[in-house]
Amino acid sequence: MLNTVIYLACALICVALLLNLGRLLVGPSMVDRILALDTLCINSLALILLLGLSLGSPLYFEAALLIALLGFVTTSALCKYLLRGDIIE
């Protein structure tokens, strides 16, 4: 029963990833594209966590932590670049 729910959640997250990819490519402004990239990172993080639950491997949780850190740093750097025009002062 739990595996069925996990597979259903994975399928729904894959649909959300496709919708985020569409917003990333077609977004009307740069802010929308940055938010789509951040949401894409969060959805991929959820997909990796569900895969780790399904397979029972702790390695996926460490990969999810690395992706979360990379997503935060990337979003922060892009927002700073959008506001100031450079990342390093």
Side-chain angles (χ1 to χ4, degrees):
M1 179 70 180
L2 183 63
N3 282 336
T4 307
V5 173
I6 289 176
Y7 293 142
L8 180 66
C10 286
L12 292 175
I13 289 175
C14 286
V15 169
L17 282 170
L18 289 174
L19 291 172
N20 285 331
L21 187 64
R23 176 55 62 191
L24 183 67
L25 296 175
V26 182
S29 68
M30 187 59 80
V31 176
D32 290 331
R33 290 180 178 168
I34 290 174
L35 286 174
L37 184 66
D38 189 40
T39 309
L40 194 74
C41 179
I42 291 170
N43 285 339
S44 64
L45 180 80
L47 191 62
I48 289 173
L49 286 174
L50 284 173
L51 185 63
L53 279 175
S54 175
L55 297 177
S57 175
L59 185 64
Y60 291 101
F61 299 109
E62 293 177 12
L65 281 172
L66 287 173
I67 289 176
L69 181 67
L70 186 67
F72 174 74
V73 169
T74 303
T75 303
S76 299
L78 285 172
C79 289
K80 190 172 181 182
Y81 176 74
L82 191 64
L83 285 175
R84 297 185 183 169
D86 61 347
I87 297 173
I88 300 173
E89 296 175 351

